[in-house]
Amino acid sequence: MDFSPDCPLCTANPDTLLWRDDKLRIIRVDEPRYPGYLRIVWQRHKAEMTDIDPMDRLHLMRTVFQVERLQRILLRPDKINLASLGNQVPHLHWHLIPRWRGDPCFPDAVWAPPRHDPARAAAWSDACEALAPHVERLHLALSTRGPAAEPPRA
């Protein structure tokens, strides 16, 4: 199946699209608690990595690795979570989620309940504000050059 009208990942949202080629697209995830959160979505509706041919898998994973590299250079997180779950939406995609020790759920998954007190949540909000210009640089690099972008100089 190449397109499913019921699949939220089959339709590209122009407001979140950073870059695309004929095989995949890179989108930003609007989740204020997790700055720099990106998703790489395979264009065609496929549920599993082995549903695409080996050269396409290589292209997808090179993109995932290069975007992770850019996130690490520009955002300097403590960790990057990479996930390809597809349990809710059986459409091949990767989550690339920068993580910091002060984020609401660290060290648990971003889908876990927050574990921090209100003071820590306020400190995290301030940290997100400070990260905003770095996230913007990441988005700009991806929008203008795609995953092959070299990080912009400070």
Side-chain angles (χ1 to χ4, degrees), residues 8-9 46-48 83-93 95 111:
L9 295 178
K46 301 291 181 181
E48 306 297 343
S84 180
L85 306 170
N87 297 331
Q88 298 289 322
V89 181
H91 185 139
L92 186 57
H93 64 285
H95 299 264
W111 299 283

Side-chain angles (χ1 to χ4, degrees), residues 8 30 45 60 63 71 115 123-124 126 134-136 147:
D30 288 325
H45 199 265
L60 174 57
T63 303
Q71 287 174 315
R115 57 169 45 218
W124 179 242
D126 292 344
H134 302 285
V135 172
E136 188 57 38

Side-chain angles (χ1 to χ4, degrees), residues 11-12 19 23 27 32 40 49 52 54 76 79 84 99 118 125:
T11 306
W19 181 85
K23 305 261 184 201
I27 59 175
I40 299 175
M49 291 290 290
I52 61 177
R76 303 213 183 277
K79 179 76 175 97
S84 180
R99 302 294 305 277
S125 179

